[in-house]
Each structure stands twice: as C-alpha cells, then as structure tokens.
Amino acid sequence: MLQLVIGNKNFSSWSLRPWLLLKQAGLPFREIPVRLRQADTKAQILAHSPSGKVPALIDGDLTVWDSLAICEYLAEKASLNHVDLWPADPKARAEARSVSAEMHSGFAALRQHMSMEVAASRPGEGQTPEVLADIARIAALWTSCRERFAAAGPFLFGDFSVADAMYAPVAFRFHTYGVELPPLAAAYRDTLLALPAMQEWAAGARAEVGA
C-alpha cells in the first residue's frame, strides 16, 4: 500500500495537496503523521524521506519527496485505474500544468502573511499590498478557468485534477482570513471546501488543536 508522510493537518499545506489527490483518486494509502515544529521533527522525517521535509510518498522501495512530483506520480498510478488527474485535452492539460507550477513556485507573499491555519478564524489579517496582488492573480486565474470549463464540471478544468489539489490550501487560507472574492472564484472556493475529503482534513486539523 502507498504510504504518505504528512505534517500537521492544521498548517501543513504541502501535505494536504497529495493527500487530497489520493483521496479524490480513490487510491488506498496509509498516513504516516509527523508532528512539525518539534525537537525531533527532522529526525522523524529523515527516517522516511531524504529531504527532511514533508510530504513524502513511499511506494515500496521508491520515495518521492516533492509535492508536485508526488502528484505527477499519482496521476500516472491513477491512470492505470482509468482515473484521469490531468485534463484529457492536450491544450487544457498544458494549461493545468502551468497553473499547478505557478502555485508550486509562486505567491510568496500569500504564503508568508496568510499561512494555512485551518482551525483558525482571522478575517482581515495579513492583507498587505503584496498579498492583495497575489489574491487578485489567484482570483483572476480561478475565474478564467471557471468561465471556460464550467460546462465540463465544477473544478478548474471541469473534472477534479492536480490543479485543484494544488490550490486546495488556498481555499482554506481564504476561508480563515475572510478573503472576499469575485463570484466565480468564491463559488470555486466553496466547491473545494465542500469536498468530503476537505471536510475530513479540516476535522483532523480541529482535532489537533482541540477545537
């Protein structure tokens, strides 16, 4: 069985991405939770992953230790079960990869000032000019995708894909910090938050902090 090494559900945004993808793809896996920000955290992670960071996916003698690389690997695994985690159309697939890569490497201000804290409620906090620019870009991206792919389904490119998993932590961030969004972007955020797997992750986050 696949094993996924993850950090705290309350704030480990990178752990959420492959975890959600595994859930949505219906791929069975076992969680290996590691509590972050502890004296022995690094040693615990190094027992499973050479990077010393979460997440890490273990498949037999293979370890994959980058979130986007894990998602790519899972997309290949899921395709064997006839589950597509990238759009079938080549142009849409290229755009979905671009969207995912932009999330993977960008939005530094949002990460710094609106860190994921699922169990918290902090409306209005962290809205620096740089963060607002990141929010505007994400809202525009979400809106553009939903305008063009609405007929194919409720997610960025119609069906759930790696791109949606990459932006799932942002949906939690926008909820925590009470970010106002244009209608299509707000509806997409709510679609992500309503997923049973996202509700399961949120329940785990609340349990961690006793909320």
Side-chain angles (χ1 to χ4, degrees):
M1 179 180 289
L2 295 168
Q3 301 178 84
L4 186 68
V5 184
I6 62 171
N8 302 55
K9 289 182 176 176
N10 191 38
F11 55 76
S12 185
S13 59
W14 291 109
S15 297
L16 168 60
R17 292 174 169 110
W19 184 94
L20 178 61
L21 200 64
L22 281 160
K23 289 284 186 175
Q24 291 298 111
L27 294 171
F29 70 102
R30 181 171 73 90
E31 291 181 25
I32 302 177
V34 175
R35 191 167 182 82
L36 304 180
R37 303 174 186 174
Q38 305 297 308
D40 63 343
T41 294
K42 189 86 167 184
Q44 286 195 48
I45 298 173
L46 284 171
H48 303 288
S49 170
S51 71
K53 298 178 180 179
V54 293
L57 180 76
I58 301 168
D59 186 7
D61 60 355
L62 171 69
T63 300
V64 188
W65 60 85
D66 172 85
S67 289
L68 191 51
I70 294 171
C71 290
E72 288 278 14
Y73 183 74
L74 294 177
E76 293 180 1
K77 295 279 284 189
S79 68
L80 300 175
N81 296 330
H82 307 289
V83 175
D84 294 324
L85 295 177
W86 289 114
D89 177 75
K91 290 184 177 180
R93 188 163 64 249
E95 184 178 353
R97 281 196 161 97
S98 296
V99 163
S100 299
E102 184 174 357
M103 182 70 252
H104 190 255
S105 62
F107 307 116
L110 181 74
R111 299 179 197 280
Q112 179 180 355
H113 298 287
M114 287 187 176
S115 59
M116 192 177 85
E117 194 168 351
V118 177
S121 178
R122 296 178 176 169
E125 290 187 19
Q127 297 191 21
T128 68
E130 295 79 11
V131 170
L132 292 175
D134 280 354
I135 291 170
R137 169 58 188 154
I138 292 169
L141 186 155
W142 287 2
T143 298
S144 174
C145 288
R146 294 305 305 133
E147 285 175 342
R148 290 176 293 124
F149 295 98
F155 299 102
L156 288 178
F157 295 89
D159 293 329
F160 188 90
S161 74
V162 171
D164 301 292
M166 291 301 293
Y167 283 87
V170 177
F172 277 137
R173 283 179 164 101
F174 286 172
H175 181 263
T176 294
Y177 295 93
V179 174
E180 294 186 8
L181 296 168
L184 287 178
Y188 171 66
R189 173 205 58 206
D190 294 344
T191 294
L192 285 178
L193 293 175
L195 286 172
M198 289 283 278
Q199 293 292 308
E200 180 183 344
W201 181 277
R206 290 191 295 270
E208 287 175 355
V209 299

